[in-house]
Amino acid sequence: MGKISLLFNEYLCSGCHTCEIACKQEHGLGVGPRVIRVLEESPYFKPLFCHHCDDPPCAKACPEDAITKDSETGVVLLDLEKCTGCNAVSGTSGAEKQGTSPCKAECPAHIDVQGYVSLAAKGKFQEALELIKETSPFPSICGRICPHPCESACNRGGIDDPVANHAIERFVADLDLNTTKRYMPKVKEKKKDKVAIIGSGPAGLSCTYYLAQEGYQVTIFEKDTEPGGMLTAGIPSYRLPREVVNAEIQLIRDMDVTIKTGVDIGKDTTIAQLREEGFKAFFTAIGTQACLELGIEGENLEGVYGGLDYLRQINRGESVKLGKNVAIIGGGNTATDAARSARRSGAENAFILYRRGLEEMPANAEEIKECQEEGISIKTLPKPEPVPDSVFTMEVDAVINALGQEADWACLTPECACTLSDWGTMNVDPLTLQSDDPDIFAGGDAARGPRTVIEAIADGKQAAISIDRFILGRDLRLGRDQVFPTITDPQKEVYNKIDRVQMPRLDPQARIKSFDEVQEGLTEEMVLEEAKRCISCGTCCVQACPYDVMQFNHDTLKAVKRKPIMPTRHIKAPARYFRKGWGLCPSLTNRGSKS
Ligand SMILES: Cc1cc2nc3c(=O)[nH]c(=O)nc-3n(C[C@H](O)[C@H](O)[C@H](O)COP(=O)(O)OP(=O)(O)OC[C@H]3O[C@@H](n4cnc5c(N)ncnc54)[C@H](O)[C@@H]3O)c2cc1C
């Protein structure tokens, strides 16, 4: 089918979908939304009126139920009686509400943090979960192990302490994990197009989650025996229980996707063979799985372990006897996880050797603190510089090398035109994640180097958008350079200080006896209390509306739908659009004639 060429007057468009219906009738297109998506991606499309989305994100995000979609007319209604402008009170509103709350802006996946926290504050836990699931398939996982840049950016931090967003996220997500009928986003009708995902870590799974919703036939190829990438192989269960990872992956399996484990791409099959089998696009999300070497004498002696290799064994439930004294070299999450795992496996004296200072350690601050509570000492600044007579000897039973990891690109066989950076990551367009080979995309650690789960999730979603456009032959870049002007500088003096809720944790002595989860989660009362500490920097519906139609009105301190610019001339629609009972575009009938 050829492309549809449409030129229309953006000042008249109300996003009413009438042209979509007419177009469907004229060209016999399968489903309506396909047509409207052509419009959305057209540089001319900028509906100045409400788009009346099928599943309006503004209504989803509103904690006050002030926005509803009328089931009969399909019109999105804003009830100003109920709207509080997200707690805007003249002179005391959290901030100017002219932009995006920093929590959403700073989250690599741009999760609507203020939105879900506001919903949680009202006890609307299910709604909060559904809002998060728009931008992340893994709230129970991220609610446990995300380094939460949203909290570092939180304006409440300038008053007392940041809101405990990720503990709230964990609570609402865990409620869903424990129900019999779990929330699943809508999955569109199955398409014939096949997409291959290489690697089942958070990047690959996230890409799968979004492509499956679009109806693509997605197959994940995973070389390990279990899906999950570092979620299963790297991060130990005392931080991220296996049942949580499995439950969140199960929901993706239930979206009718295929996960083939034990298939090593580049060895068991190749991208060229998969192309022949009809796969239209590839997302290489292979992570960084190969341990970096120390490059020093004795590296291959018995008792010297690669950090990730050691954690893999531990996470498979194998017992690894390290002895009493264990030195761990490195300063990232692999080092702290290896040290804490060694403690739990019986090492009396597990210590970390890190070449820089404590504040420079890349591991999460929370984890460094928990390490210290568990009796792990961190020896900093043993910098490998040749200082005369400074060489010293330590007697240890085992050494764990946790210097870091790099990608193993054996999956790229010579027919692939992709190129690699000097850092061993795949070169991709940062906006579209497309590589030098047009049907190959890459994201997560494979494209960024070792980073975080939430960045991998964000890449998975962006890759899914690109792959969808690539298969449909659309512009990959159009409309994707969105910036989030951040709201900062709240009126601190108008807020009383309120203590941040403290995450209940296992006692350090009890922790080192097992791999049981250390952080026990908040109670409902704690969540309600904590969520109310949010100062609502932005306005939920304004932040949720993808078309900039919802606005904050500084006079009324309430939300408002952007006023249409009235048309300057009347456009006459071709007569053939008036047959079979279809009406004239309401922009023309109701408004065009008034100009
Ligand atoms: C010990 C440890 C602790 C961490 N802790 C945290 C934390 O607390 N918070 C946080 O945010 N981040 C943490 N991280 C980082 C985080 O886990 C990664 O950034 C994230 O998992 C990257 O996701 P990914 O999907 O890109 O790759 P991965 O999770 O590495 O997944 C890649 C997958 O691809 C598969 N694969 C590779 N090659 C092939 C092939 N040829 N064919 C088929 N399959 C292949 C691999 O087997 C693997 O399953 C930690 C990392 C480690 C190692």
Side-chain angles (χ1 to χ4, degrees):
M1 187 189 66
K3 281 195 202 169
I4 311 155
S5 295
L6 279 171
L7 269 183
F8 64 101
N9 187 321
E10 63 181 89
Y11 297 109
L12 285 175
C13 178
S14 65
C16 72
H17 296 237
T18 304
C19 60
E20 178 187 2
I21 298 162
C23 188
K24 181 179 170 187
Q25 189 185 31
E26 184 68 17
H27 298 280
L29 292 174
V31 279
R34 178 156 184 175
V35 182
I36 206 74
R37 283 177 53 180
V38 176
L39 301 180
E40 280 168 9
E41 288 164 21
S42 148
Y44 304 102
F45 186 75
K46 219 195 233 173
L48 294 179
F49 301 86
C50 178
H51 196 83
H52 305 291
C53 304
D54 285 341
D55 193 10
C58 54
K60 247 187 196 169
C62 178
E64 310 293 342
D65 291 332
I67 305 176
T68 48
K69 186 170 165 83
D70 188 282
S71 55
E72 276 184 23
T73 60
V75 170
V76 171
L77 301 166
L78 168 61
D79 183 341
L80 289 179
E81 291 290 312
K82 289 186 179 168
C83 175
T84 65
C86 288
N87 305 323
V89 183
S90 185
T92 63
S93 64
E96 285 301 309
K97 291 189 184 283
Q98 228 146 16
T100 309
S101 54
C103 46
K104 174 174 173 167
E106 287 304 313
C107 171
H110 303 301
I111 295 179
D112 193 347
V113 181
Q114 183 191 324
Y116 79 70
V117 170
S118 307
L119 288 162
K122 298 261 169 196
K124 297 184 178 181
F125 303 131
Q126 178 63 23
E127 290 86 342
L129 172 84
E130 291 183 18
L131 189 62
I132 302 170
K133 288 258 177 166
E134 298 263 308
T135 26
S136 164
F138 298 132
S140 276
I141 292 171
C142 285
R144 288 172 163 81
I145 51 90
C146 185
H148 42 75
C150 59
E151 292 187 21
S152 311
C154 176
N155 278 333
R156 179 94 214 183
I159 299 162
D160 37 45
D161 285 311
V163 178
N165 300 324
H166 94 307
I168 297 171
E169 180 183 23
R170 168 181 167 164
F171 177 84
V172 299
D174 282 3
L175 283 183
D176 181 64
L177 287 195
N178 296 323
T179 53
T180 44
K181 189 156 173 21
R182 295 183 50 203
Y183 169 70
M184 180 178 299
K186 281 187 194 139
V187 174
K188 291 183 187 164
E189 206 178 308
K190 212 54 165 185
K191 290 183 166 78
K192 63 177 186 347
D193 307 291
K194 297 198 295 182
V195 180
I197 310 289
I198 308 173
S200 68
L205 287 166
S206 161
C207 188
T208 304
Y209 173 80
Y210 290 103
L211 286 173
Q213 287 179 53
E214 288 300 317
Y216 286 101
Q217 296 188 32
V218 190
T219 305
I220 300 182
F221 298 94
E222 168 54 57
K223 74 173 177 185
D224 216 334
T225 49
E226 292 289 324
M230 294 300 187
L231 303 175
T232 325
I235 306 176
S237 56
Y238 58 83
R239 288 206 293 133
L240 183 59
R242 285 299 152 266
E243 51 279 18
V244 170
V245 178
N246 293 342
E248 293 212 311
I249 294 178
Q250 185 58 44
L251 195 99
I252 297 177
R253 286 185 193 271
D254 293 344
M255 295 171 106
D256 197 16
V257 305
T258 307
I259 303 183
K260 292 190 177 175
T261 52
V263 183
D264 190 340
I265 301 292
K267 194 169 154 205
D268 299 321
T269 183
T270 63
I271 289 181
Q273 282 169 305
L274 294 174
R275 278 180 180 142
E276 277 175 25
E277 287 172 29
F279 285 92
K280 295 267 178 65
F282 300 85
F283 182 48
T284 43
I286 60 163
T288 50
Q289 301 280 319
C291 296
L292 288 176
E293 291 189 354
L294 286 162
I296 55 170
E297 207 184 315
E299 183 154 19
N300 296 319
L301 288 175
E302 201 181 322
V304 182
Y305 298 81
L308 194 53
D309 298 336
Y310 167 68
L311 286 171
R312 274 207 188 97
Q313 283 176 274
I314 290 289
N315 287 326
R316 280 199 293 260
E318 294 169 19
S319 119
V320 187
K321 296 263 177 282
L322 297 173
K324 283 185 185 169
N325 297 313
V326 181
I328 297 101
I329 304 172
N333 282 324
T334 309
T336 47
D337 280 337
R340 297 179 73 185
S341 298
R343 260 318 250 145
R344 283 161 175 76
S345 308
E348 285 170 20
N349 179 26
F351 55 93
I352 291 175
L353 302 171
Y354 179 55
R355 63 184 168 147
R356 297 200 176 97
L358 207 57
E359 350 24 80
E360 290 157 292
M361 278 179 76
N364 305 346
E366 215 168 12
E367 227 206 315
I368 296 171
K369 187 168 160 264
E370 287 181 356
C371 264
Q372 290 166 327
E373 287 169 357
E374 290 166 19
I376 294 157
S377 59
I378 302 175
K379 300 180 196 297
T380 55
L381 301 172
K383 207 172 180 179
E385 270 183 17
V387 178
D389 302 326
S390 66
V391 176
F392 57 95
T393 306
M394 287 176 173
E395 276 205 23
V396 295
D397 300 299
V399 175
I400 298 177
N401 162 21
L403 276 200
Q405 296 92 236
E406 61 184 352
D408 171 359
W409 286 108
C411 65
L412 293 181
T413 32
E415 69 280 354
C416 301
C418 315
T419 57
L420 301 182
S421 72
D422 292 346
W423 298 97
T425 53
M426 191 188 276
N427 286 325
V428 289
D429 178 318
L431 197 61
T432 66
L433 305 181
Q434 190 175 37
S435 74
D436 297 325
D437 213 339
D439 62 349
I440 301 181
F441 298 77
D445 286 2
R448 294 174 182 259
R451 299 297 287 246
T452 62
V453 170
I454 191 66
E455 287 165 288
I457 290 172
D459 283 357
K461 181 172 185 186
Q462 292 310 318
I465 294 170
S466 293
I467 289 172
D468 178 41
R469 290 185 184 194
F470 173 76
I471 292 175
L472 295 173
R474 303 233 176 95
D475 188 330
L476 262 57
R477 308 182 66 82
L478 196 72
R480 293 177 75 181
D481 46 1
Q482 202 181 1
V483 283
F484 294 94
T486 311
I487 295 169
T488 48
D489 204 17
Q491 295 160 287
K492 295 178 190 151
E493 62 284 359
V494 302
Y495 295 98
N496 293 327
K497 289 190 192 276
I498 308 171
D499 288 341
R500 173 180 155 122
V501 80
Q502 292 303 313
M503 171 64 74
R505 288 162 210 259
L506 282 184
D507 175 76
Q509 282 312 312
R511 284 184 214 167
I512 55 170
K513 294 192 179 121
S514 77
F515 280 76
D516 290 350
E517 189 169 21
V518 169
Q519 302 196 1
E520 296 173 310
L522 303 184
T523 62
E524 182 172 333
E525 293 69 36
M526 290 161 113
V527 167
L528 290 169
E529 208 178 295
E530 182 61 16
K532 287 185 187 119
R533 292 180 64 241
C534 172
I535 60 171
S536 305
C537 302
T539 319
C540 292
C541 61
V542 176
Q543 299 189 85
C545 176
Y547 302 108
D548 285 344
V549 169
M550 302 304 292
Q551 311 266 293
F552 180 74
N553 185 322
H554 286 265
D555 297 325
T556 60
L557 299 177
K558 286 176 187 276
V560 66
K561 283 190 186 179
R562 189 152 54 135
K563 288 257 171 12
I565 299 168
M566 293 312 284
T568 51
R569 67 194 166 92
H570 181 81
I571 294 179
K572 202 166 184 312
R576 61 201 161 104
Y577 288 133
F578 304 115
R579 64 190 178 175
K580 287 194 192 160
W582 293 115
L584 180 63
C585 167
S587 297
L588 303 179
T589 45
N590 301 338
R591 294 180 284 261
S593 55
K594 285 187 205 152
S595 63

